[in-house]
Amino acid sequence: MKYEIKKGKKMKIGFIGFGNVSSTLASILKKEGHEIYTSSTNRSKKTKELINKIGAISLKDFNEVSKISEVVISANSPSKAIPIAKKYGKLSKNIFIDLNNISPDSTLEISNELGDKFLKGAIIGKINLNENFIFISGKNAEKISILRNSKLKIKILSESVSDASIIKTLRSIYTKGVSALLIETFKIAKEMNLEEELFETLELTEGELFKVKSLSRINNSILYSKRKYDELKDILEYLNKFNDLNEEKTDLILLKATLKAFKSIQD
Amino acid sequence: MKYEIKKGKKMKIGFIGFGNVSSTLASILKKEGHEIYTSSTNRSKKTKELINKIGAISLKDFNEVSKISEVVISANSPSKAIPIAKKYGKLSKNIFIDLNNISPDSTLEISNELGDKFLKGAIIGKINLNENFIFISGKNAEKISILRNSKLKIKILSESVSDASIIKTLRSIYTKGVSALLIETFKIAKEMNLEEELFETLELTEGELFKVKSLSRINNSILYSKRKYDELKDILEYLNKFNDLNEEKTDLILLKATLKAFKSIQD
């Protein structure tokens, strides 16, 4: 996979909201010389301080941010993604990118409203100041390739706008399935007093960081089991529809079991 | 995990059968100076040549091998493990090791017959000439620690003879579950024409060899789906019994789904 780093012109980049994802990306893009816009109106003292620290320009409201920016980025929460995209995407004359964890269906809904200026982005893994992988799909995806740098590895997936959400969905099926499997297997191992030995055993074939990674997955899954259960329910619904439309049906045996496992963790 | 390499006396080691596992171990142990015994009576021309090549001593039959050896090793097939252990284990005056992929119940059955001279061994991963991990459990497990060398990493698990089979069982739940999950996820990805992109995406967080490892798991699972299904059925039966005896029950949601998936691959 090539994450080519193109040096290009400096852009005006607007953020709707300024949470963890937005502020991390803004900080990286600011250091590359881009102009960062957002709005601190009605935001917490902490957010205002963060905006100042990063050196972002705070405008009166997000309407202004959307109008002035060449690229508008929405990184908020899945539940707010659609209304934000419809409102601020319409005000944007250029590119509007949604980075929220939304379903392929929601992506298409936004795309129907905004047309070719809409790009879907999917952040792969955790966001941090050192290295981020963002997958982008949409007709005009190439236009944001100039935002690429050593800390922001942007992969243009395809012109089909929903592909970034589909990739994220498929990734989710695998990673959540592994988490459910780890929880079940290590629960049995613990009852048999062979938890440590099993970690050691699996580390031999699964890689040196297996234990650290697995414990992080287990803890994360238990902590956010409600949210993960909801995400899995959406995924199952989407794939059931996909199956209905396709001749070749895929048994969703493991996905259904993962959903059931997350339900049982939650209870 | 320490795989201490102890230099010790040279031992007489007998192999019941001389297939892939036996011949690989024999070759490694011969190079360390141990005396290797087996029997080529009624064996194929290929096996006879292999015995000669390695420099193992061929006796009249396995009865002789069992009587003369200080350590008798059975690496055959799960279905022959119990009768072989009962027959040749009884003839052995010293240590008898079963290396077959058998259930904790079968391990206990052999142990009841042979007592403390019986050790259970579990090979973790694939056997090869360069590096092998063998977990051993049983009262006298320490006695074979002198067989350790740089190519044969022996971990003494515990004095509880069934622990090596339990570890292998738990490992199996995880690895077969991952395989079933990979097959299901990549089937959907393929239908969506995003198979390659999904491999690339997962490689970012799951490690560089993810694609190679996953393809090998998928192919292996499809090729040996019947055998894997049978193994999973045994595991489920064993854990159901374990659950019945324990106050704390574990939902076997993912295990049951993995079994169902392997059934569907088979059909």
Side-chain angles (χ1 to χ4, degrees), chain A:
Chain A
M1 197 180 327
K2 295 276 183 299
Y3 292 94
E4 202 189 324
I5 297 164
K6 283 189 191 167
K7 295 277 168 207
K9 67 162 191 151
K10 302 309 171 189
M11 297 185 90
K12 292 177 166 53
I13 303 165
F15 286 90
I16 312 297
F18 213 72
N20 181 37
V21 174
S22 296
S23 60
T24 306
L25 295 179
S27 170
I28 293 169
L29 291 165
K30 182 73 173 75
K31 281 182 191 136
E32 290 283 314
H34 299 289
E35 281 173 29
I36 308 297
Y37 295 90
T38 189
S39 173
S40 68
T41 309
N42 297 325
R43 300 303 304 264
S44 69
K45 199 185 153 207
K46 204 181 136 199
T47 302
K48 282 176 185 164
E49 283 171 359
L50 194 58
I51 290 170
N52 278 332
K53 194 185 147 204
I54 288 169
I57 299 157
S58 178
L59 302 179
K60 193 185 74 186
D61 54 30
F62 292 125
N63 290 350
E64 298 300 314
V65 173
S66 304
K67 282 177 202 161
I68 208 173
S69 303
E70 292 166 279
V71 177
V72 178
I73 295 176
S74 162
N76 296 277
S77 76
S79 62
K80 293 180 193 158
I82 295 179
I84 284 178
K86 287 186 179 174
K87 181 170 181 191
Y88 300 106
K90 268 182 198 151
L91 291 170
S92 159
K93 288 180 292 290
N94 299 295
I95 297 287
F96 181 89
I97 310 178
D98 175 276
L99 286 184
N100 301 293
N101 199 3
I102 57 172
S103 73
D105 281 343
S106 302
T107 300
L108 286 175
E109 186 182 337
I110 298 172
S111 173
N112 286 337
E113 198 88 14
L114 301 184
D116 291 350
K117 70 177 158 192
F118 174 56
L119 302 183
K120 180 69 194 109
I123 296 163
I124 307 299
K126 277 175 196 153
I127 204 91
N128 65 63
L129 285 168
N130 300 315
E131 190 179 56
N132 301 282
F133 295 97
I134 301 183
F135 285 21
I136 300 277
S137 55
K139 193 81 186 291
N140 286 298
E142 275 298 343
K143 290 210 174 137
I144 61 135
S145 59
I146 57 168
L147 298 182
R148 270 192 194 120
N149 63 62
S150 62
K151 291 174 180 185
L152 212 57
K153 302 185 172 178
I154 295 174
K155 177 174 165 79
I156 311 293
L157 265 183
S158 75
E159 291 197 355
S160 170
V161 74
S162 55
D163 277 2
S165 342
I166 296 175
I167 277 290
K168 188 98 178 180
T169 298
L170 293 169
R171 183 179 181 278
S172 226
I173 297 173
Y174 179 76
T175 56
K176 289 191 176 69
V178 168
S179 299
L181 194 55
L182 283 169
I183 291 171
E184 187 170 304
T185 313
F186 278 90
K187 191 161 178 251
I188 306 166
K190 200 175 178 179
E191 282 164 33
M192 292 177 168
N193 283 319
L194 287 167
E195 210 181 1
E196 273 313 309
E197 287 81 357
L198 182 61
F199 272 126
E200 286 183 18
T201 309
L202 284 167
E203 207 142 67
L204 296 175
T205 50
E206 306 302 297
E208 268 181 39
L209 290 172
F210 182 78
K211 187 179 171 183
V212 180
K213 266 176 144 177
S214 298
L215 285 176
S216 147
R217 276 190 166 148
I218 291 172
N219 294 335
N220 193 278
S221 297
I222 293 171
L223 204 57
Y224 302 110
S225 62
K226 164 87 177 78
R227 200 185 75 201
K228 283 169 194 279
Y229 173 76
D230 291 341
E231 283 170 21
L232 281 162
K233 236 172 60 177
D234 285 352
I235 290 175
L236 185 61
E237 203 180 296
Y238 168 72
L239 288 178
N240 277 332
K241 269 193 279 174
F242 178 82
N243 259 346
D244 284 345
L245 296 171
N246 273 267
E247 230 172 277
E248 171 118 22
K249 312 280 180 237
T250 306
D251 283 337
L252 304 169
I253 301 172
L254 272 297
L255 175 57
K256 284 174 189 165
T258 305
L259 183 71
K260 206 173 149 191
F262 272 91
K263 175 86 185 125
S264 119
I265 297 165
Q266 235 195 101
D267 293 340

Side-chain angles (χ1 to χ4, degrees), chain A residues 135 157 166-172 174, chain B residues 185-186 189 194-203 210:
Chain A
F135 285 21
L157 265 183
I166 296 175
I167 277 290
K168 188 98 178 180
T169 298
L170 293 169
R171 183 179 181 278
S172 226
Y174 179 76
Chain B
T185 314
F186 278 90
L194 287 167
E195 209 181 2
E196 272 312 309
E197 287 81 357
L198 183 61
F199 273 126
E200 286 183 17
T201 310
L202 284 167
E203 207 143 67
F210 182 78

